[in-house]
Amino acid sequence: MSTTLLHADLPGLNLIHRGKVRDVFDLGDGHLLMVATDRLSAFDVVLPDPIPGKGEMLCQISNFWFDKTAHIIANHLTGIDVASVLPAGVDTTLYAKRAVVTKKLTPVPVECIARGYLIGSGWKDYQRTGAVSGIALPPGLQLAQQLPEPIFTPSTKAAVGDHDENIDFATVIDMLGRERAEQIRTATLAIYAFARDYAAQRGIILADTKFEFGTDADGKLYVMDEMLTPDSSRYWPAEQYAVGISPPSYDKQFVRDYLETLDWDKTPPGPHLPAEVIAKTRAKYAEALERLAGLRID
């Protein structure tokens, strides 16, 4: 049975961050406990209703991809049993599938985005300027068209409630230095290419995705947070893909599309979701997990 968790409540543990989806606790020994809740954000606003089991599905698909891509780049997972770090009296079943113990890293202050198709904010930028994050693209491209080659389109990391802003690679160099900037660009595009090809074998198009990186005390780079989940990626069923339309997806675009029909200004508080939207959204996450990783959370 899947569980439902809106906020992680772990008395005695030091909560250091409550994000849009994840609650992070500092275990005080160079490790963090990262809990994927069932919160859902859209347009950078956390909505009031949970998607039951969503956090478990996000955690499991991240773990699947961390394992699959370990040959490309190291990740933040430690393999430490979650139950061993939970406070006494806590229901361990709530956290067994939705939490991981990770290395405590220093985050790289850039959202690292790889785009293989022209969609979302990239499409809007292209329509306005003919470029995405300063990268000039051929004229005449259509909505959802595959790009000649994948591109790295970084953005700023926004606080909860704020909006990320696309930046160009020169800005990343100014922020991080050329060596680190090139390192994260190379890693982002390498992981994307691997995951794109893997997903294609399962009838799924990976249109774009976002990664977060961190460094340890020695400056070694790791991929962290979440990885190739439906929250951080656009997955399209290949059989329903067509150029010129926004394809149906396995991500939270379903929720975004519903919210676009409302008279809501996209500022907090977010509106409640109907039971049907919640159920259909959960089904989208579950289908992605099963098709990509062969996993089911009942």
Side-chain angles (χ1 to χ4, degrees), residues 201-218:
Q201 296 171 16
R202 283 144 187 84
I204 293 176
I205 293 170
L206 176 59
D208 55 43
T209 192
K210 176 174 65 177
F211 302 113
E212 295 199 31
F213 295 95
T215 56
D216 64 15
D218 297 323

PDB file of all heavy atoms in Angstrom, residues 201-218:
ATOM      1  N   GLN A 201      13.695   3.462 -25.693  1.00  0.00           N
ATOM      2  CA  GLN A 201      13.517   2.018 -25.827  1.00  0.00           C
ATOM      3  C   GLN A 201      12.216   1.545 -25.176  1.00  0.00           C
ATOM      4  O   GLN A 201      11.748   0.442 -25.459  1.00  0.00           O
ATOM      5  CB  GLN A 201      14.699   1.290 -25.197  1.00  0.00           C
ATOM      6  CG  GLN A 201      16.030   1.555 -25.876  1.00  0.00           C
ATOM      7  CD  GLN A 201      17.202   0.989 -25.084  1.00  0.00           C
ATOM      8  OE1 GLN A 201      17.025   0.156 -24.204  1.00  0.00           O
ATOM      9  NE2 GLN A 201      18.401   1.447 -25.399  1.00  0.00           N
ATOM     10  N   ARG A 202      11.664   2.382 -24.312  1.00  0.00           N
ATOM     11  CA  ARG A 202      10.423   2.040 -23.618  1.00  0.00           C
ATOM     12  C   ARG A 202       9.239   2.862 -24.111  1.00  0.00           C
ATOM     13  O   ARG A 202       8.222   2.983 -23.442  1.00  0.00           O
ATOM     14  CB  ARG A 202      10.631   2.229 -22.101  1.00  0.00           C
ATOM     15  CG  ARG A 202      11.428   1.079 -21.530  1.00  0.00           C
ATOM     16  CD  ARG A 202      12.373   1.497 -20.430  1.00  0.00           C
ATOM     17  NE  ARG A 202      13.214   0.343 -20.070  1.00  0.00           N
ATOM     18  CZ  ARG A 202      14.315  -0.003 -20.718  1.00  0.00           C
ATOM     19  NH1 ARG A 202      14.723   0.697 -21.753  1.00  0.00           N
ATOM     20  NH2 ARG A 202      15.022  -1.062 -20.360  1.00  0.00           N
ATOM     21  N   GLY A 203       9.400   3.435 -25.301  1.00  0.00           N
ATOM     22  CA  GLY A 203       8.301   4.154 -25.931  1.00  0.00           C
ATOM     23  C   GLY A 203       8.017   5.510 -25.319  1.00  0.00           C
ATOM     24  O   GLY A 203       6.899   6.021 -25.430  1.00  0.00           O
ATOM     25  N   ILE A 204       9.022   6.117 -24.694  1.00  0.00           N
ATOM     26  CA  ILE A 204       8.834   7.399 -24.037  1.00  0.00           C
ATOM     27  C   ILE A 204       9.877   8.389 -24.548  1.00  0.00           C
ATOM     28  O   ILE A 204      11.057   8.053 -24.675  1.00  0.00           O
ATOM     29  CB  ILE A 204       8.945   7.258 -22.503  1.00  0.00           C
ATOM     30  CG1 ILE A 204       7.769   6.423 -21.980  1.00  0.00           C
ATOM     31  CG2 ILE A 204       8.962   8.617 -21.822  1.00  0.00           C
ATOM     32  CD1 ILE A 204       7.838   6.143 -20.490  1.00  0.00           C
ATOM     33  N   ILE A 205       9.432   9.607 -24.839  1.00  0.00           N
ATOM     34  CA  ILE A 205      10.322  10.692 -25.243  1.00  0.00           C
ATOM     35  C   ILE A 205      10.645  11.527 -24.004  1.00  0.00           C
ATOM     36  O   ILE A 205       9.734  11.971 -23.293  1.00  0.00           O
ATOM     37  CB  ILE A 205       9.662  11.580 -26.312  1.00  0.00           C
ATOM     38  CG1 ILE A 205       9.490  10.797 -27.622  1.00  0.00           C
ATOM     39  CG2 ILE A 205      10.479  12.848 -26.553  1.00  0.00           C
ATOM     40  CD1 ILE A 205       8.642  11.520 -28.649  1.00  0.00           C
ATOM     41  N   LEU A 206      11.926  11.730 -23.752  1.00  0.00           N
ATOM     42  CA  LEU A 206      12.351  12.655 -22.701  1.00  0.00           C
ATOM     43  C   LEU A 206      12.630  13.995 -23.369  1.00  0.00           C
ATOM     44  O   LEU A 206      13.659  14.193 -24.004  1.00  0.00           O
ATOM     45  CB  LEU A 206      13.604  12.124 -21.990  1.00  0.00           C
ATOM     46  CG  LEU A 206      14.221  13.041 -20.926  1.00  0.00           C
ATOM     47  CD1 LEU A 206      13.232  13.363 -19.814  1.00  0.00           C
ATOM     48  CD2 LEU A 206      15.494  12.417 -20.355  1.00  0.00           C
ATOM     49  N   ALA A 207      11.674  14.910 -23.241  1.00  0.00           N
ATOM     50  CA  ALA A 207      11.780  16.193 -23.945  1.00  0.00           C
ATOM     51  C   ALA A 207      12.812  17.107 -23.309  1.00  0.00           C
ATOM     52  O   ALA A 207      13.619  17.745 -23.993  1.00  0.00           O
ATOM     53  CB  ALA A 207      10.422  16.883 -23.978  1.00  0.00           C
ATOM     54  N   ASP A 208      12.774  17.209 -21.995  1.00  0.00           N
ATOM     55  CA  ASP A 208      13.750  18.022 -21.274  1.00  0.00           C
ATOM     56  C   ASP A 208      13.787  17.573 -19.826  1.00  0.00           C
ATOM     57  O   ASP A 208      12.903  16.839 -19.362  1.00  0.00           O
ATOM     58  CB  ASP A 208      13.456  19.524 -21.389  1.00  0.00           C
ATOM     59  CG  ASP A 208      12.049  19.896 -20.950  1.00  0.00           C
ATOM     60  OD1 ASP A 208      11.586  19.375 -19.913  1.00  0.00           O
ATOM     61  OD2 ASP A 208      11.418  20.732 -21.618  1.00  0.00           O
ATOM     62  N   THR A 209      14.808  18.012 -19.109  1.00  0.00           N
ATOM     63  CA  THR A 209      14.940  17.624 -17.706  1.00  0.00           C
ATOM     64  C   THR A 209      15.843  18.612 -16.989  1.00  0.00           C
ATOM     65  O   THR A 209      16.582  19.374 -17.627  1.00  0.00           O
ATOM     66  CB  THR A 209      15.484  16.191 -17.568  1.00  0.00           C
ATOM     67  OG1 THR A 209      15.338  15.757 -16.203  1.00  0.00           O
ATOM     68  CG2 THR A 209      16.941  16.108 -17.978  1.00  0.00           C
ATOM     69  N   LYS A 210      15.757  18.591 -15.667  1.00  0.00           N
ATOM     70  CA  LYS A 210      16.511  19.530 -14.834  1.00  0.00           C
ATOM     71  C   LYS A 210      17.275  18.758 -13.769  1.00  0.00           C
ATOM     72  O   LYS A 210      16.731  17.869 -13.122  1.00  0.00           O
ATOM     73  CB  LYS A 210      15.545  20.516 -14.177  1.00  0.00           C
ATOM     74  CG  LYS A 210      16.179  21.492 -13.197  1.00  0.00           C
ATOM     75  CD  LYS A 210      15.162  22.512 -12.713  1.00  0.00           C
ATOM     76  CE  LYS A 210      14.056  21.894 -11.906  1.00  0.00           C
ATOM     77  NZ  LYS A 210      13.116  22.895 -11.373  1.00  0.00           N
ATOM     78  N   PHE A 211      18.543  19.119 -13.581  1.00  0.00           N
ATOM     79  CA  PHE A 211      19.374  18.482 -12.560  1.00  0.00           C
ATOM     80  C   PHE A 211      19.880  19.520 -11.569  1.00  0.00           C
ATOM     81  O   PHE A 211      19.998  20.705 -11.890  1.00  0.00           O
ATOM     82  CB  PHE A 211      20.598  17.796 -13.197  1.00  0.00           C
ATOM     83  CG  PHE A 211      20.256  16.756 -14.213  1.00  0.00           C
ATOM     84  CD1 PHE A 211      20.553  16.945 -15.550  1.00  0.00           C
ATOM     85  CD2 PHE A 211      19.630  15.576 -13.841  1.00  0.00           C
ATOM     86  CE1 PHE A 211      20.242  15.985 -16.506  1.00  0.00           C
ATOM     87  CE2 PHE A 211      19.313  14.614 -14.780  1.00  0.00           C
ATOM     88  CZ  PHE A 211      19.613  14.810 -16.112  1.00  0.00           C
ATOM     89  N   GLU A 212      20.203  19.015 -10.379  1.00  0.00           N
ATOM     90  CA  GLU A 212      20.898  19.830  -9.389  1.00  0.00           C
ATOM     91  C   GLU A 212      22.183  19.112  -9.005  1.00  0.00           C
ATOM     92  O   GLU A 212      22.208  17.880  -8.877  1.00  0.00           O
ATOM     93  CB  GLU A 212      20.024  20.077  -8.169  1.00  0.00           C
ATOM     94  CG  GLU A 212      18.794  20.904  -8.494  1.00  0.00           C
ATOM     95  CD  GLU A 212      18.165  21.532  -7.271  1.00  0.00           C
ATOM     96  OE1 GLU A 212      18.895  21.838  -6.315  1.00  0.00           O
ATOM     97  OE2 GLU A 212      16.939  21.714  -7.281  1.00  0.00           O
ATOM     98  N   PHE A 213      23.229  19.894  -8.831  1.00  0.00           N
ATOM     99  CA  PHE A 213      24.531  19.346  -8.483  1.00  0.00           C
ATOM    100  C   PHE A 213      25.020  19.951  -7.170  1.00  0.00           C
ATOM    101  O   PHE A 213      24.584  21.024  -6.752  1.00  0.00           O
ATOM    102  CB  PHE A 213      25.552  19.644  -9.589  1.00  0.00           C
ATOM    103  CG  PHE A 213      25.244  18.978 -10.899  1.00  0.00           C
ATOM    104  CD1 PHE A 213      24.552  19.648 -11.901  1.00  0.00           C
ATOM    105  CD2 PHE A 213      25.642  17.664 -11.138  1.00  0.00           C
ATOM    106  CE1 PHE A 213      24.263  19.041 -13.110  1.00  0.00           C
ATOM    107  CE2 PHE A 213      25.356  17.045 -12.354  1.00  0.00           C
ATOM    108  CZ  PHE A 213      24.672  17.736 -13.331  1.00  0.00           C
ATOM    109  N   GLY A 214      25.934  19.226  -6.526  1.00  0.00           N
ATOM    110  CA  GLY A 214      26.558  19.718  -5.311  1.00  0.00           C
ATOM    111  C   GLY A 214      27.990  19.228  -5.239  1.00  0.00           C
ATOM    112  O   GLY A 214      28.390  18.296  -5.952  1.00  0.00           O
ATOM    113  N   THR A 215      28.766  19.855  -4.361  1.00  0.00           N
ATOM    114  CA  THR A 215      30.167  19.477  -4.208  1.00  0.00           C
ATOM    115  C   THR A 215      30.462  19.118  -2.758  1.00  0.00           C
ATOM    116  O   THR A 215      29.835  19.634  -1.828  1.00  0.00           O
ATOM    117  CB  THR A 215      31.097  20.623  -4.640  1.00  0.00           C
ATOM    118  OG1 THR A 215      30.778  21.808  -3.884  1.00  0.00           O
ATOM    119  CG2 THR A 215      30.925  20.925  -6.115  1.00  0.00           C
ATOM    120  N   ASP A 216      31.439  18.219  -2.579  1.00  0.00           N
ATOM    121  CA  ASP A 216      31.866  17.883  -1.222  1.00  0.00           C
ATOM    122  C   ASP A 216      33.043  18.770  -0.816  1.00  0.00           C
ATOM    123  O   ASP A 216      33.425  19.696  -1.548  1.00  0.00           O
ATOM    124  CB  ASP A 216      32.199  16.394  -1.101  1.00  0.00           C
ATOM    125  CG  ASP A 216      33.373  15.955  -1.964  1.00  0.00           C
ATOM    126  OD1 ASP A 216      34.128  16.828  -2.457  1.00  0.00           O
ATOM    127  OD2 ASP A 216      33.550  14.733  -2.145  1.00  0.00           O
ATOM    128  N   ALA A 217      33.612  18.484   0.349  1.00  0.00           N
ATOM    129  CA  ALA A 217      34.688  19.327   0.882  1.00  0.00           C
ATOM    130  C   ALA A 217      35.918  19.334  -0.019  1.00  0.00           C
ATOM    131  O   ALA A 217      36.717  20.282   0.005  1.00  0.00           O
ATOM    132  CB  ALA A 217      35.063  18.861   2.281  1.00  0.00           C
ATOM    133  N   ASP A 218      36.069  18.299  -0.836  1.00  0.00           N
ATOM    134  CA  ASP A 218      37.216  18.204  -1.737  1.00  0.00           C
ATOM    135  C   ASP A 218      36.933  18.803  -3.114  1.00  0.00           C
ATOM    136  O   ASP A 218      37.787  18.756  -4.001  1.00  0.00           O
ATOM    137  CB  ASP A 218      37.639  16.742  -1.897  1.00  0.00           C
ATOM    138  CG  ASP A 218      38.117  16.135  -0.587  1.00  0.00           C
ATOM    139  OD1 ASP A 218      38.770  16.861   0.192  1.00  0.00           O
ATOM    140  OD2 ASP A 218      37.830  14.940  -0.346  1.00  0.00           O
TER     141      ASP A 218
END
